[in-house]
Amino acid sequence: MNDPRRHEADPPYVSPVTLRDVWKARQRIAPYVRKTPLTASPIFSARIGASVFLKLETFQETGSFKVRGAANKILSLTPDEQRRGVTTFSTGNHGLAVAHIARQLGITAVICVSRRVPRAKADAIERLGARLEVDGDSQDDAERHCYELQERQGMTVIKPFDDPYVIAGQGTIGLELLEDLPEIEAVVVPLSGGGLIAGIGYTLKSASPDIEVIGVSMERSAAMSHSLQAGRPVVVAEHDTLADSLLGGIGRENQYSFGMVRRYVDDVVLVSEEAIAEGMAVLFDQQRMVVEGAAATGIAALLHGNVARPGSNIAVIVSGNNVDTRAFLTAIGRSPAFGA
Ligand SMILES: *Cc1c(COP(=O)(O)O)cnc(C)c1O
């Protein structure tokens, strides 16, 4: 029962992504993806007593960082796989990214989504020339539909986060952070399935294990946080949230991102809907930036989550800006940060 050899036999953790993979990703995706600005934020720095920098992934084509992973994966497919086309399930931003990259490369793309996806995102995917297939009420339903297409039509499923190529693509943000802020001490990253934080966390920890990697999810439906606590992927119910891009499970069969998050993430902070709305309002009011709820979770954590060490250099990933105007105005109008 208490076999002492068991511990010795446990193999050491080996990351499914290497630093070389991240550098290769950077070279591969360079023609399709921007190096985004990292801007100092005197306003947030003064408010929390640390040096705050914003990494503006809102400047990517299609409005989020997801083009990095999508481009790296699709460009790594064989010519034959590319000919048969790609498909994916997505709350929106990953779907947009896959559609955009596929169009650039002249590859067929089918995007499977659930009925929960905001109309604005669905319209945007169709405008990018992809075929949209709507099925079910959750990410899991959309995912099932996607794998049916893979079986029936031989398309390649481009997973949103649980794929080493996707993770390496998102990891290129880590390289850019090290370039622009070599003295970085902490990074705050919106967290859903964990592809983004796995890539960034792995890359930064490879440079220096002392760099603190902090994930942020919404209190409602925080699948990764619950999974970390349980020590295995768990399913949580999906509830409407301002951070709709963070909805979805981490996959019961998660192979890569969960293990990397366990290994390379120091802490996960949960933020309330009020804090997310305040983050959106403050980014607009103080920085003149329009961001979606998911992208405001980092700022929400800075303002309420007690994540920053005094005086430290901290980068916050502002991950996307796909929000429809009405939802945006409602969110910032309700926030006490506005006019308070
Ligand atoms: C997908 C997404 C995230 C979370 O990325 P994961 O790799 O799923 O953790 C954060 N913000 C935005 C805007 C996204 O689209």
Side-chain angles (χ1 to χ4, degrees), residues 64-66 93 160-161 190-196 245-246 292 294-295 319-320:
S64 85
F65 71 89
K66 291 267 186 357
N93 281 334
F161 53 85
L191 170 60
S192 176
L196 178 61
S245 289
L246 301 185
E292 57 179 285
S319 50

Side-chain angles (χ1 to χ4, degrees), residues 328-340:
F328 178 77
L329 292 175
T330 307
I332 68 167
R334 275 212 204 110
S335 167
F338 230 48

Side-chain angles (χ1 to χ4, degrees), residues 214-280:
I214 300 153
V216 190
S217 301
M218 64 291 186
E219 280 170 358
R220 293 181 191 173
S221 320
M224 183 61 85
S225 172
H226 288 290
S227 300
L228 288 169
Q229 270 159 27
R232 68 189 152 76
V234 296
V235 176
V236 299
E238 288 188 21
H239 302 286
D240 285 336
T241 167
L242 285 172
D244 53 275
S245 289
L246 301 185
L247 278 175
I250 72 164
R252 247 185 273 250
E253 311 284 296
N254 189 296
Q255 285 179 276
Y256 308 104
S257 67
F258 181 54
M260 290 184 77
V261 168
R262 269 169 39 145
R263 181 77 179 188
Y264 303 116
V265 174
D266 297 294
D267 200 8
V268 176
V269 174
L270 302 185
V271 291
S272 68
E273 295 299 304
E274 291 71 31
I276 296 169
E278 184 186 345
M280 293 169 82

Side-chain angles (χ1 to χ4, degrees), residues 87-92 94-95 110-117 125 132-150 157-158 160 238 247-249:
T87 178
T88 191
F89 48 98
S90 171
T91 53
H94 177 67
V110 175
I111 315 295
C112 310
V113 295
S114 82
R115 279 187 278 271
R116 225 175 250 285
V117 166
I125 287 169
L132 196 71
E133 297 200 2
V134 183
D135 193 35
D137 284 314
S138 73
Q139 276 295 99
D140 291 344
D141 294 334
E143 177 173 352
R144 211 168 300 122
H145 187 72
C146 196
Y147 282 98
E148 280 164 23
L149 286 181
Q150 175 168 266
V157 173
I158 310 297
E238 288 188 21
L247 278 175

Side-chain angles (χ1 to χ4, degrees), residues 3 63 73 106 121 140 168 173 197 257 268 270 278 281 298-299 301 313 327:
D3 186 353
K73 178 66 180 182
K121 289 188 178 182
D140 291 344
I173 294 173
I197 203 169
S257 67
V268 176
L270 302 185
E278 184 186 345
I299 288 299
N313 290 309

Side-chain angles (χ1 to χ4, degrees), residues 261-335:
V261 168
R262 269 169 39 145
R263 181 77 179 188
Y264 303 116
V265 174
D266 297 294
D267 200 8
V268 176
V269 174
L270 302 185
V271 291
S272 68
E273 295 299 304
E274 291 71 31
I276 296 169
E278 184 186 345
M280 293 169 82
V282 172
L283 278 164
F284 179 69
D285 194 43
Q286 311 277 310
Q287 301 267 167
R288 288 291 175 257
M289 287 175 55
V290 174
V291 307
E292 57 179 285
T297 57
I299 288 299
L302 272 196
L303 296 178
H304 294 290
N306 226 351
V307 297
R309 299 237 179 91
S312 61
N313 290 309
I314 181 163
V316 180
I317 310 299
V318 181
S319 50
N321 64 8
N322 285 306
V323 57
D324 51 66
T325 307
R326 202 179 302 266
F328 178 77
L329 292 175
T330 307
I332 68 167
R334 275 212 204 110
S335 167

